[in-house]
Each structure stands twice: as C-alpha cells, then as structure tokens.
C-alpha cells in the first residue's frame, strides 16, 4: 500500500509537470501569434531568426548614420522639413547661405586676431597691467567688504535667533500669558515686549515702532495693563482656587470692538477657571455692552435701587452705536472689493507691517473677509503676530493657508526693504529744523521744495544744488547733506529698478516660498506703487 500510495504521488507530480509544460508550449505559440500545435510554422520562424537579427543590425547602423548626419545640420526648424521633402533646390540655397556666413565668420576671426595684436602692442607700456592690478586690488577689497557685511548680517541673524529662542524657552510665564492676552485684545495689532532699558513696551506691528506706556492711547494702555494683571493673576493662582475678580470701570475708554474682545476673553477665562467676575460701572450703557459681548444679560445689581429704593438710569436710555461690519465680497471683483473696503495704497517708505491685508489675500476674498471681520486683522504686521500665536491653528485650521500667508508676509517685507534701498528715510519738517543747516528765513521755502520731491533726500539736495532756492548757500547745502546722510535720510546704496528688485527678491525669498508666490506678491505690490510715485522717487 505504501508503494502504491507513493506511485500515485509520483504520478500526480508527473501530471503537474506535463500540465506546466503544456501551458508553456501554449504560451510559446500564443506569444508568436500562431495556433497551438502549428509546429511547422514555428520551425519556419525559428529558421528566420538569423535573418531577422541581421536586419535589426542593419536598421541600428542606419539609425546611427542618420544621427551622425543630423548632428551636423544647423539647429533650426527649417532644414529638417526640407530634407524630409527632398527639396534639393532649397537645400542648395541654404548651403550657399551657410557658406557665405562661414566666409563672414572667417573674416571676423581675422579682424579679431588683428585687434588682439593691436591690444597686445598697446599693452606693452604696462598701463594695462597697472589697470588690472588696480582692478584686482579693488575687487579684493570689495570681496573683503562683502565678507564683512555677510559676517555682520549672519551675526545679527544669530543674535535674533538666540534672543527669540531665549524668550520662548526662558521667558517668565507671566509675560507669555500677558503677551497672548494683549495680542488678542488688540486684534494682533500690538505685541507686548519686555525691553531691558524701558521695561514693558508695546510694539506697533503696523508701524514697526515700540511705544512706552506713556506713548500709548488711553484705551490701548488700559488693555496692556489689564493683560499684564490678568496674566499675573492666572500664574499666581495656578495651584489655588481662583478668587473673585473685581474690575472697576476698567473698560470705560475701550472702543466697542476691543470691548467685545476683552469681555469675551474674560468670559472664557471665568468659565475655564471657575472664577466669579464683578464689573463695577457708573455707566448704564455698559450693561448693554456686556450683554452684546457675551450674548446674554449678566446678573445685574442696581445699587441706587438697593440703597435708596430708587431705580437708576435704564440702559435702554443709552442707545449703543452699531459696530461697523466688513461686507462680504459676494460676486465683487478684487478691485471692487478693495474700493468697498477703502484699501489704502502701498506706502513703501513705511514699515512693511502697515501693508493692508488685501495685497496679500486678494486672490481669496472670502479668506480676506474672514480675517478682517472675524479676527479683526487688517495689516501685514497683525497677520504676522497672529500666525506666530499658538491659537492660530485653532482659529485658522488650514495649515496650507497659514504656511502660504506666512511666506507672503516674508516676501512682502523683503520687497519693501529692497524698495527702500538707496532712498533712506523721508525728510520731514522736523528733520530740517533739527539739522541746523536750514535757518528760519529759508525753512518755509526748503520745506515747500521738500514736499514737492515727496521727502526724497537725494532729490532735495540735487534741487538745492541746482539753485531752486535763491541765495541758499552751497556750504549750507553741504552741511544739510552731511547731516541727512549721518541720520539715515541719505542712503548711498544703489537704488534698484523694478526688474532688479524682482531678481533680488527671487534670490532672497525663492527658497522658502512655494512656487509662484514670489512673482505673485511682487507683481501685486509693484502694481500698487503709482507711476507718479516712481517718477518722483526712482
């Protein structure tokens, strides 16, 4: 029985091998498109394999010869069609043209050789060598200056990075909490900064300036102080049960939009921390403002009624102005929507943070409306601060949009920096007075001339030297020019043309921005700088 079973297994194996061979034979026939079993036709084709390979070799050699001959043809779009059409007359005509051009090239080479000989003879007095030595020395000095400039720039960059890293990792929690609150209260238009020399200051993200508490408006100063106090309170009570919070007319000077933002933040903090909140006010209208801000009527205690049994003034007697809302774009074009929003023109002389958000999001008007109406962001500086906040991902969850907006902000800043190269600060009347070079007798005339050249220091000095103001001495012009250069109003760097700005912008911002973003932002900003502005400031 074992032998029989073994024989059955062997037979099954042989059957499988036979089936596999049959399939292979079938695939062989079908692969050469022959009926299965056509052995004679198959053998005939096998006999023709040698001839087929020989023809393939001939075809390969012919193609090589064709490529070799085609390589000698001129690189144009006319010769090949003539060859394909076997147009001998046209080919001979082109051959004659090529021979004439070759003869002309020979003549030019001969002239070049003669000029080279004359140059070599002219250089025998060593003037050329001396000029080359001066050129080499100047080039070496330029390279050294360039290296020093790069070293300074890299040092400033590293210092900034180290400062930012130290601030983010070692900054007290109180400052971090206060900064986040202050940014939300001001719709990211201001950022709280701890300055070693001035203490707590607010950086205006639109103007790019730092302002002390005394330099802030009453409302903004109150917002900053409230952000600091609430940040301090949140850190102080982190391990304890939160105590009730009393605010005594703390929002009296706050405009309606910021009032709503601060009250909303206080409401969220009260719910999150389980804190009781008391707001004391002698303004009946504040009750309506709180009701509009939190969407519900808060618990109200009328002190005149509680103390004297007489009701105080009713909030309804003090109608509140309806806050202005940003209209939706609907079917409006970008130009129409910009006119509706009254978008200001681009002023490259100001800090790039002042650039209106429209110029960065004009291709996505619904997003522009969302940022301006919901988040109250209207400028590049406020958008930059918002994108750096931890809650940016929550308020604007689309990561691609956040990355694209951040890239556009960086591109716009570099563009503004390139535009200001060679222009310096705009000259104002205060600068003329502080210079000491313009006396009281000439101040009005010089200031009028300065206004005509739009505060451009270069054009102002050129106009004064051209005698546009009678009896204004050249010595005073030189003193004014020296003072303006010393204080940053005159910039000796070369002014860049629009195309030069575009090239430099591609070089500096192209690596860190998605494809096409640099061109898109540059074209939009360049288009907004009016022709009159360029003519006066080129």
């Amino acid at each position: 029985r074992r032998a029989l079973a073994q024989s059955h297994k062997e037979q099954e194996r042989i059957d499988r091998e036979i089936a596999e061979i049959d399939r292979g034979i079938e695939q062989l026939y079908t692969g050469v498109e022959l009926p299965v079993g056509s052995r004679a036709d198959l053998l005939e084709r096998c006999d023709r394999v040698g001839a087929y390979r020989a023809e393939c070799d001939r075809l390969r050699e012919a193609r090589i010869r064709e490529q070799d001959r085609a390589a000698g043809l001129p690189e144009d779009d006319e010769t090949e069609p003539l060859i394909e059409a076997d147009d001998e007359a046209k080919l001979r005509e082109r051959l004659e043209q090529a021979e004439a051009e070759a003869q002309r090239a020979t003549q030019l080479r001969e002239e070049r050789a003669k000029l080279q000989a004359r140059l070599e003879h002219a250089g025998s007095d060593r003037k050329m060598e001396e000029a080359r030595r001066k050129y080499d020395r100047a080039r070496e000095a330029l390279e050294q200056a360039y290296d020093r400039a790069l070293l300074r720039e890299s040092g400033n960059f590293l210092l900034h990075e180290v400062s930012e890293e130290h601030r983010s990792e070692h900054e007290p929690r109180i400052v971090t909490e206060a900064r986040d609150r202050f940014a939300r209260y001001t719709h990211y238009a201001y950022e709280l900064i701890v300055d070693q020399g001035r203490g707590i200051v607010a950086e205006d993200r639109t103007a790019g300036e730092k302002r002390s508490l005394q330099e802030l408006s009453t409302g903004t100063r109150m917002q900053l102080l409230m952000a600091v106090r609430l940040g301090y309170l949140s850190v102080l009570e982190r391990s304890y049960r939160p105590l009730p919070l009393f605010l005594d007319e703390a929002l009296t000077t706050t405009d309606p939009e910021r009032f709503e933002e601060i009250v909303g933040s206080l409401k969220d903090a009260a719910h999150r921390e389980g804190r009781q909140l008391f707001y004391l006010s002698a303004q009946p209208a504040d009750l309506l403002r709180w009701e509009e801000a939190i969407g519900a009527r808060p618990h109200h205690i009328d002190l005149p009624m509680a103390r004297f049994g007489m009701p105080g003034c009713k909030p309804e007697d003090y109608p509140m102005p309806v806050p202005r809302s940003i209209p939706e774009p609907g079917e409006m074009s970008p130009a129409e929507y910009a006119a509706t929003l009254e978008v200001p023109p681009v002023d490259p002389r100001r800090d790039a943070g002042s650039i209106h958000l429209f110029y960065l999001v004009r291709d996505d008007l619904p997003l522009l409306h969302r940022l301006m109406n919901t988040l109250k962001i209207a400028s590049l500086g406020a958008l930059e601060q918002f994108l750096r906040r931890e809650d940016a991902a929550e308020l604007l969850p689309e990561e691609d949009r956040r990355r694209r907006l951040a890239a556009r902000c960086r591109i716009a800043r570099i563009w503004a920096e390139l535009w200001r190269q060679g222009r310096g600060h705009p000259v104002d009347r205060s600068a003329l007075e502080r210079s000491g070079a313009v006396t009281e007798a000439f101040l009005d005339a010089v200031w009028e001339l300065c206004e005509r050249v739009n505060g451009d220091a270069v054009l102002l000095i050129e106009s004064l030297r051209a005698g546009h103001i009678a009896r204004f001495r050249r010595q005073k012009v030189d003193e004014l020019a020296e003072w303006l250069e010393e204080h940053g109003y005159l910039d000796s760097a070369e002014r860049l043309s629009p195309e030069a700005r575009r090239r430099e912008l591609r070089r500096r911002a192209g690596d860190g921005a998605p494809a096409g973003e640099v061109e898109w932002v540059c074209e939009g900003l360049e288009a907004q700088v009016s022709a009159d502005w360029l003519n006066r400031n080129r």
Side-chain angles (χ1 to χ4, degrees), residues 329-521:
E331 299 297 327
M332 285 188 284
S333 66
E336 294 171 341
Y337 197 47
T340 302
L341 298 178
E342 299 179 357
V343 174
V346 175
D347 187 352
R349 298 184 305 175
R350 299 179 60 191
D351 186 84
S354 64
I355 296 177
H356 194 278
L357 202 59
F358 169 79
Y359 300 113
L360 303 180
V361 203
R362 66 183 187 278
D363 59 338
D364 193 346
L365 298 184
L367 175 61
L368 175 63
H369 175 265
R370 178 179 167 190
L371 292 171
M372 294 185 63
N373 192 61
T374 304
L375 301 177
K376 312 299 182 185
I377 298 174
S379 65
L380 180 147
L383 178 61
E384 285 178 323
Q385 185 178 191
F386 165 74
L387 293 174
R388 291 201 303 267
R389 312 315 304 174
E390 294 181 357
D391 57 353
E394 178 181 350
L395 299 175
L396 190 63
E398 301 90 343
E399 184 179 356
D400 291 342
R401 278 182 169 176
R402 297 198 307 274
R403 189 183 301 113
R404 185 171 68 252
L405 290 175
R408 290 180 178 182
C409 290
R410 177 173 175 269
I411 295 169
R413 279 204 174 274
I414 297 176
W415 175 86
E417 178 185 340
L418 294 174
W419 194 95
R420 289 193 296 269
Q421 178 177 316
R423 288 182 167 85
H425 307 312
V427 182
D428 53 15
R429 190 181 182 95
S430 172
L432 297 176
E433 294 173 348
R434 289 184 287 114
S435 69
V438 182
T439 61
E440 188 68 26
F442 289 96
L443 182 59
D444 291 337
V446 175
W447 171 237
E448 182 181 352
L449 177 61
C450 185
E451 285 185 313
R452 288 204 300 269
V453 298
N454 204 31
D456 189 304
V458 174
L459 297 180
L460 175 63
I461 296 301
E462 290 178 354
S463 301
L464 290 174
R465 285 176 174 161
H468 288 194
I469 296 181
R471 299 188 305 277
F472 195 82
R473 293 183 299 167
R474 181 167 296 275
Q475 179 183 356
K476 290 296 183 180
V477 177
D478 295 338
E479 291 180 9
L480 179 60
E482 183 179 354
W483 188 92
L484 291 176
E485 183 175 4
E486 180 181 353
H487 290 81
Y489 294 93
L490 270 176
D491 188 350
S492 59
E494 179 186 2
R495 293 188 180 184
L496 300 178
S497 65
E499 185 56 36
R501 282 197 297 271
R502 192 184 305 272
R503 289 195 302 270
E504 184 65 14
L505 187 60
R506 291 195 204 103
R507 186 186 69 82
R508 293 178 55 178
D511 294 340
E517 289 295 297
V518 174
E519 294 291 336
W520 186 88
V521 175

Side-chain angles (χ1 to χ4, degrees), residues 305-320:
M305 175 63 73
R307 296 180 62 187
F308 309 114
M310 298 175 59
C313 300
K314 297 179 181 180
E316 291 77 6
D317 297 335
Y318 299 87
M320 298 298 299

